[in-house]
Amino acid sequence: MRLRRLTVSGIGPFADTFSIDFDALTAGGLFLLEGPTGSGKSTIIDAVVWALYGGVAGGRDSTDARMRSTHASPSRESFVDLVFSVEAGTFRVRRTPQWTKAGNKNPTNASAKLWRLSESAVEAQQFDACEILEAKPAGTGAEIARLVGLSREQFLQTIVLPQGKFADFLTLDSTKRTALLEQVFDTSAYRRVAELLKERAAAAQSKVDSARGEWASSVEGLATALRLEGEAKAELAEAADAAGDPADAVRTTALAAAAVLRAEEESESAEEESALAAKRARERAVAAQEAADLASRLQKRSRLLACRDRLRAEEPEIDKLDESLAAHALAAGVASFLAAFDRAKAELGQAERRFALLDASDRSPHDVDAATLESQTALLETMTSLTGRLTELAAVEKELAASRRERTAAREVLRRAQEKVAAARAQASALPQAILRVEERLAAEEAEASRVESMELEAASLAKAAARFADLDRARSASKEANAAVAKAAAAFEEARLLRDEQTLAWTASMSAIIAGGLSEGEACPVCGSTEHPAPAPPSNVKATREDVEDAEKGAAAARGLLAETEKHAVRAQAEVASAEADLKGLTRESVASALERTRSELASARRAQRKAAASQVELRDLRERSEAAGSSLSAAQSEQAAAEARIAGLDAAVERAQARIVPELAGYETISERLKAHVERANAQRRLVEAVRELLGARGQLDAREGELSAALSEAGFADATAAREAFMPREAAEAARTRVAEHRQASHDVARDLAAPEIAELTGDEAPDVEGTARLAEEAAETSRAAQRRAAVANERSLGARAQLGVVSEREEAWARLQSSAGPVLRLANLANAGSDSITKIPLATFVVRHRFEQILDRANERLADISLGRYQLARSDEKERGSREIKTGLSVTVIDRDGEADGAAKRSPRSLSGGETFYVSLALALALADVVRAENGGIALETLLIDEGFGSLDEDTLGLVMSTLTGLARDGRAVGLVSHVAEMKKMIAERVTVRPLGDGSSRVEIRC
């Protein structure tokens, strides 16, 4: 992770805006952030951390509320803008704290945004050319933590080491140090492996436990199938509970097999007892059935004898019924003739009564004959003819009424048509004058509007001239700035050239001291060739090195290039001034402005005329359309008037023709419809009378015919008259009942004789006496005994079969338990080892074991630097012991300090907490640098390319400070960037690149950058 650029505005003590280009500031690898105590140095560190994580870098007493500067303008927004690079690319984050704008009651919430930047945009300083990734604080913080790979706390332990936090990594307890290193080195894969093994082990153990539970459940099911109770059930349950392993289930299986065998033996004994009881029950059931059959036959014989006696007593009555049925059969032959005669007689009486009701004369029904029918029919035909003629006239009468109504409506249509003609004539005469007036106005408006195009061209030309004056002003200002930049670049180049010359002279003067620094005893001097060096030049005589000269040369070349570039800009700016002055030759600002104003006024007037002309054209078009419509309306109205007049004339003629036909046929009635209605009623009455006469004559003929047929039928059946036949005839229900009685009697007599002759009845004497109850009681007792034996046998058989099947289930589940126990063994052991279980010797989880190896690398690298800084006194060692007073679990990541000056044997072990302030500082520094070194060398880890240290240098003596600075200076060779926050004066002499924070009189501060 590397910082690239920081911009701060209105934050902490900084009221104004300033930017720090870390790429330029860290070109030499080391820079100093210095200033008086309380000036705001730590605020810059806070700004970096706050930009990334939304929280400051200070301790518990520090709050985010101090981010908003109290010196900033109330109407000005505060912000921190940070550009940084990680393995995933370069990114820009911008945060604003919560603040209340002047005049507002409610505060503006804090905000945060994250963008992705290309490297080319960073090099071109185009920080707005970026791609937005997050626009809300929550999403921004989470995404940055993912990109950096560190939480805020871990960031403050590895990259930014603020006041009060520098020694955290050295003094962390084992568990927190383990968590930090796991995050930094990304050992999550090992932790996931351990967790996966743990999950699989849990799943495998769950299956084994489930199999064992199923086996135990099957044993319990076997006890239920055997219906075990008491000691036997308890013994089997105790054996099952004691089996913690498939090998322990042998005793349980043996007990279960013995119990099943006993159940099978009991089942066989119960089957034998059931068979003997069933045989006895069958024998007694046969004896009981024989006694019951004999008693039943005796009862049947008694019933048959009694029935035979009753039938013999009913025989005279049956013979009499048989004779009546014979006479009824003869009467039935003439029944239809009697019925027909009765119907004909009734129909004649009905016809006579109907005729008497309809005939208005005094004629008797007996006087009606064929002549009467003929005269009445002729009268009906005459009346029917008149009905047809009157019906036709009634239709004509309806048409007459409709014609009159239609004539009235036609007269109303004629009146409206006449009104339309008058209105259309008035409108057609008024429109031509209106059209003429609009045409004259349109001609004047179009003449004015024709000037729009020429006015627009003139206005554009004048506006371009006015804009050219603004271009001239900008060009003159740019030329002035370019000339100033040329003067500044020339001065910078002169300063760089003088510095280069000074460094070259100093390096030349220091050559002897430089050569002396490379001399060794016994080796020839490159200048004089001597192998002895009695008085070499001291190192303090070195005023400049070859590198200093090369740096000065580079600075001079860069200044020369900048001067050439600014001169080019100045030439271009002067050319633009000359071009603008040439374009505006002979013109003044005032004349152009006056002409432009006049032209724009005339153009506005012409455009108004143009709009009015468009409106007049629409109005003229509307008037012409209305004139054409008025002519069409007049023609249509005239046509409608002529059609109405013709229709009225036709209706008048139709009314006169209808009246000529209707009036002669009224015959005293108001209308033809009234006369038709009265005539139809009389005709219908006549039609009913004719039908009654015809019906009377027909009924009289039918009666004569039926009377002759009845006389012949009575004579043939042997009846003296109709009365005798009627008396012999029986109702249908009575005849059916008599026939049924006779047939049932004869059938019953036949059935009784047949049943008495049957062998099983005929052989009986009536003296037999069977013991039905006694034999039945003995049979029921034997059957109940047999059923009880069968139930006992069924229960025993069911128990033995169920137990044998359940014993098979027990065996199958025991085998399944054994298979699962065997297959789960390897994964259970691996999970136990990876998660520091009971089988682990080290008691250290897999992920921690991997981290411990990385930690040993860190300590080795730290000891290399610590040997130089402490002059071999201190060394760091990893310890498996827990820190004193700690409740943490054993992880093997404790730190012990070995003090070679602490005891006589030079191997005293000390706690890191026992070190002094200065010792703690440089030991922590060595450890922090080692962490970054190992991470950089580790593929897949987090690149820690930047280190910011905000304390401790004031606690070092002069010699130790020199050793520490030598170590930090060496980091530049590896491309590392280290920022030091200090107010120690000696640091300024050692570090050229500096960010200086200077307090101002009003309590605010400003930043000065030197690089």
Side-chain angles (χ1 to χ4, degrees):
M1 194 271 186
R2 190 176 189 91
L3 303 179
R4 307 294 297 276
R5 181 183 179 87
L6 174 68
T7 301
V8 174
S9 180
I11 297 295
F14 306 109
D16 295 330
T17 302
F18 68 88
S19 296
I20 300 176
D21 186 347
F22 285 106
D23 287 346
L25 188 64
T26 61
L30 196 64
F31 69 92
L32 177 66
L33 179 57
E34 59 95 14
T37 300
S39 61
K41 301 186 298 298
S42 297
T43 300
I44 296 178
I45 303 297
D46 283 340
V48 171
V49 179
W50 186 72
L52 292 171
Y53 295 99
V56 298
R60 294 182 178 178
D61 296 335
S62 298
T63 64
D64 297 343
R66 63 191 179 96
M67 295 309 296
R68 169 69 178 174
S69 176
T70 58
H71 303 285
S73 171
S75 60
R76 181 178 173 186
E77 181 183 56
S78 299
F79 69 86
V80 175
D81 198 303
L82 177 67
V83 178
F84 64 94
S85 295
V86 293
E87 291 295 325
T90 300
F91 302 87
R92 173 190 168 202
V93 60
R94 178 186 174 97
R95 285 188 187 270
T96 64
Q98 187 184 69
W99 66 296
T100 302
K101 191 174 182 180
N104 290 352
K105 294 182 179 179
N106 298 323
T108 301
N109 291 330
S111 67
K113 290 184 179 181
L114 178 67
W115 297 270
R116 182 191 298 277
L117 281 169
S118 66
E119 195 59 33
S120 59
V122 176
E123 292 176 358
Q125 302 287 298
Q126 296 176 349
F127 299 107
D128 291 331
C130 47
E131 172 193 357
I132 185 71
L133 298 181
E134 292 288 345
K136 294 184 178 179
T140 297
E143 182 64 12
I144 288 178
R146 186 189 69 79
L147 291 170
V148 176
L150 298 171
S151 68
R152 173 177 169 272
E153 289 72 18
Q154 293 166 343
F155 186 81
L156 296 178
Q157 294 162 356
T158 56
I159 294 179
V160 173
L161 306 177
Q163 293 180 5
K165 297 284 186 179
F166 186 71
D168 277 4
F169 184 57
L170 175 64
T171 58
L172 281 176
D173 58 53
S174 296
T175 301
K176 292 181 179 178
R177 186 179 292 116
T178 300
L180 171 62
L181 294 177
E182 284 184 359
Q183 182 79 9
V184 170
F185 288 105
D186 191 17
T187 59
S188 58
Y190 299 98
R191 184 172 295 279
R192 286 196 298 272
V193 168
E195 291 174 353
L196 179 61
L197 286 172
K198 186 176 181 180
E199 290 174 2
R200 292 188 176 179
Q205 186 62 51
S206 176
K207 291 181 179 178
V208 171
D209 294 343
S210 177
R212 198 263 177 208
E214 291 178 358
W215 172 79
S217 177
S218 66
V219 173
E220 185 178 351
L222 178 60
T224 301
L226 289 169
R227 295 177 174 80
L228 295 180
E229 296 179 355
E231 294 182 0
K233 183 177 181 180
E235 183 181 13
L236 184 61
E238 181 180 355
D241 293 340
D245 189 86
D248 300 335
V250 176
R251 179 169 174 269
T252 306
T253 304
L255 290 174
V260 171
L261 183 60
R262 287 194 300 272
E264 290 175 342
E265 292 173 352
E266 292 173 359
S267 175
E268 291 176 1
S269 176
E271 286 287 346
E272 293 175 358
E273 292 180 2
S274 176
L276 290 175
K279 181 178 179 182
R280 286 194 297 271
R282 286 195 297 273
E283 292 172 351
R284 291 187 178 179
V286 169
Q289 185 61 45
E290 289 176 351
D293 289 345
L294 177 59
S296 176
R297 285 185 288 135
L298 288 172
Q299 290 176 356
K300 184 176 181 180
R301 179 174 179 275
S302 297
R303 288 195 302 273
L304 290 172
L305 291 175
C307 184
R308 184 180 63 181
D309 294 342
R310 177 176 56 77
L311 291 173
R312 285 175 179 175
E314 293 175 352
E315 285 181 357
E317 181 184 356
I318 297 303
D319 292 341
K320 186 176 179 179
L321 284 176
D322 201 13
E323 292 174 0
S324 297
L325 287 172
H328 170 71
L330 293 173
V334 298
S336 59
F337 296 99
L338 286 170
F341 176 76
D342 292 341
R343 285 194 300 274
K345 189 174 181 180
E347 290 174 357
L348 177 60
Q350 183 177 2
E352 287 176 346
R353 288 191 296 274
R354 185 181 180 193
F355 174 78
L357 290 174
L358 294 175
D359 187 22
S361 63
D362 295 334
R363 282 178 297 198
S364 171
H366 299 289
D367 297 335
V368 175
D369 54 14
T372 305
L373 178 61
E374 183 178 355
S375 63
Q376 294 299 322
T377 300
L379 178 57
L380 177 61
E381 290 176 355
T382 302
M383 297 177 74
T384 300
S385 176
L386 179 58
T387 300
R389 188 170 75 255
L390 291 176
T391 300
E392 181 183 355
L393 289 174
V396 172
E397 189 175 56
K398 281 186 178 182
E399 291 176 358
L400 174 61
S403 296
R404 287 172 175 167
R405 288 192 299 272
E406 188 176 354
R407 183 174 61 182
T408 302
R411 287 172 177 167
E412 178 60 25
V413 170
L414 175 61
R415 185 187 62 78
R416 288 197 298 270
Q418 291 170 343
E419 291 177 351
K420 288 181 181 179
V421 169
R425 283 176 178 166
Q427 186 177 17
S429 63
L431 286 172
Q433 288 292 53
I435 291 173
L436 180 59
R437 287 194 299 271
V438 173
E439 286 175 343
E440 292 174 351
R441 187 178 71 230
L442 176 61
E445 290 170 345
E446 287 178 341
E448 177 67 16
S450 64
R451 302 176 60 217
V452 168
E453 185 174 358
S454 61
M455 290 287 93
E456 286 177 342
L457 293 175
E458 184 177 353
S461 176
L462 290 170
K464 184 176 180 182
R468 196 62 174 144
F469 276 109
D471 293 341
L472 177 59
D473 291 341
R474 285 192 295 272
R476 285 173 176 169
S477 177
S479 177
K480 183 178 180 180
E481 291 175 358
N483 290 334
V486 168
K488 184 177 179 181
F493 171 64
E494 183 62 21
E495 183 181 353
R497 185 184 62 79
L498 292 174
L499 178 61
R500 178 197 62 192
D501 294 344
E502 290 174 1
Q503 292 289 355
T504 302
L505 291 173
W507 175 61
T508 304
S510 304
M511 189 60 68
S512 59
I514 294 172
I515 294 173
L519 293 178
S520 299
E521 288 298 327
E523 292 184 2
C525 174
V527 177
C528 64
S530 173
T531 58
E532 296 181 358
H533 318 295
S540 59
N541 291 341
V542 176
K543 305 300 182 181
T545 63
R546 176 63 182 174
E547 289 78 8
D548 294 335
V549 174
E550 291 176 352
D551 290 343
E553 285 283 359
K554 292 178 181 178
R560 186 186 305 108
L562 179 60
L563 176 59
E565 186 66 24
T566 54
E567 288 174 344
K568 290 180 181 177
H569 285 307
V571 171
R572 286 198 294 269
Q574 187 57 41
E576 290 179 1
V577 170
S579 175
E581 289 176 344
D583 292 341
L584 296 171
K585 187 176 181 181
L587 296 176
T588 64
R589 295 178 191 270
E590 294 75 12
S591 63
V592 170
S594 176
L596 179 59
E597 182 179 0
R598 184 179 62 258
T599 302
R600 284 175 176 172
S601 176
E602 294 177 357
L603 176 60
S605 177
R607 284 174 175 168
R608 286 194 297 272
Q610 193 177 46
R611 291 192 294 272
K612 290 180 179 179
S616 296
Q617 288 176 348
V618 172
E619 184 181 0
L620 180 60
R621 184 167 56 253
D622 179 63
L623 288 172
R624 288 173 176 169
E625 291 175 354
R626 288 167 58 193
S627 178
E628 293 176 1
S632 300
S633 298
L634 177 60
S635 298
Q638 290 173 340
S639 299
E640 186 178 347
Q641 179 181 350
E645 292 172 347
R647 180 61 176 161
I648 290 171
L651 290 172
D652 288 341
V655 168
E656 292 176 359
R657 288 193 298 272
Q659 287 177 339
R661 292 186 62 188
I662 290 171
V663 171
E665 297 290 341
L666 288 175
Y669 288 92
E670 291 291 332
T671 62
I672 295 295
S673 297
E674 293 178 1
R675 182 184 177 190
L676 174 61
K677 181 178 179 181
H679 176 74
V680 167
E681 290 177 357
R682 291 192 297 274
N684 289 335
Q686 181 62 27
R687 184 178 295 105
R688 288 192 295 274
L689 178 60
V690 170
E691 291 174 355
V693 170
R694 188 178 288 113
E695 182 182 354
L696 176 59
L697 294 177
R700 189 179 294 165
Q702 287 291 327
L703 179 61
D704 293 342
R706 301 293 86 75
E707 186 176 6
E709 292 171 355
L710 176 60
S711 177
L714 290 172
S715 176
E716 183 179 353
F719 288 105
D721 52 25
T723 302
R726 292 180 191 279
E727 291 176 353
F729 187 78
M730 299 174 65
R732 186 176 60 183
E733 290 81 1
E736 289 294 332
R739 279 192 292 271
T740 300
R741 177 79 185 280
V742 171
E744 288 177 351
H745 183 275
R746 289 173 180 169
Q747 183 63 42
S749 298
H750 175 269
D751 292 343
V752 167
R754 181 197 62 209
D755 292 343
L756 286 172
E760 66 272 15
I761 301 299
E763 67 183 7
L764 298 177
T765 63
D767 298 330
E768 295 84 358
D771 186 5
V772 176
E773 293 182 0
T775 56
R777 184 174 62 257
L778 292 175
E780 179 60 29
E781 291 174 355
E784 180 60 30
T785 302
S786 176
R787 286 194 293 271
Q790 288 177 352
R791 287 195 295 272
R792 289 193 297 273
V795 170
N797 184 55
E798 179 185 1
R799 181 174 60 183
S800 66
L801 292 177
R804 176 58 64 183
Q806 187 64 23
L807 182 61
V809 173
V810 171
S811 299
E812 291 175 358
R813 293 186 177 178
E814 181 181 340
E815 293 173 0
W817 180 18
R819 286 195 303 273
L820 287 172
Q821 180 79 13
S822 175
S823 63
V827 71
L828 291 174
R829 176 163 174 76
L830 282 175
N832 189 286
L833 293 174
N835 289 278
S838 58
D839 295 339
S840 174
I841 298 175
T842 63
K843 302 301 180 184
I844 296 176
L846 175 63
T848 305
F849 184 82
V850 174
V851 169
R852 188 173 70 170
H853 172 68
R854 297 290 188 271
F855 188 51
E856 290 173 348
Q857 293 177 326
I858 293 170
L859 293 181
D860 291 342
R861 184 68 178 135
N863 286 330
E864 293 177 7
R865 287 196 169 91
L866 193 57
D868 294 336
I869 297 174
S870 68
L871 300 178
R873 177 178 179 181
Y874 291 119
Q875 181 181 350
L876 300 177
R878 183 187 61 78
S879 172
D880 289 332
E881 299 299 325
K882 296 190 294 182
E883 291 84 347
R884 181 175 300 176
S886 171
R887 296 183 179 179
E888 301 296 327
I889 61 173
K890 179 181 177 183
T891 63
L893 265 72
S894 297
V895 177
T896 297
V897 179
I898 298 176
D899 185 355
R900 300 193 183 280
D901 295 341
E903 293 182 359
D905 60 359
K909 294 183 178 180
R910 297 172 55 182
S911 168
R913 301 180 185 274
S914 68
L915 298 174
S916 67
E919 291 169 339
T920 298
F921 172 76
Y922 64 69
V923 171
S924 299
L925 176 62
L927 195 59
L929 297 178
L931 173 61
D933 289 343
V934 174
V935 170
R936 291 186 70 190
E938 175 67 25
N939 289 332
I942 302 169
L944 306 180
E945 299 179 13
T946 300
L947 181 65
L948 300 178
I949 305 173
D950 187 11
E951 71 168 303
F953 295 98
S955 63
L956 303 178
D957 57 41
E958 183 178 353
D959 293 338
T960 304
L961 178 60
L963 293 172
V964 169
M965 291 304 300
S966 177
T967 299
L968 295 175
T969 303
L971 296 178
R973 302 188 187 97
D974 298 329
R976 299 280 294 282
V978 179
L980 310 178
V981 182
S982 179
H983 59 273
V984 177
E986 288 298 320
M987 303 284 285
K988 299 180 183 179
K989 300 177 182 179
M990 300 178 182
I991 304 174
E993 287 74 17
R994 296 197 296 271
V995 176
T996 302
V997 181
R998 298 192 184 280
L1000 302 177
D1002 60 355
S1004 64
S1005 298
R1006 62 183 176 86
V1007 171
E1008 297 176 357
I1009 301 172
R1010 178 178 176 182
C1011 58

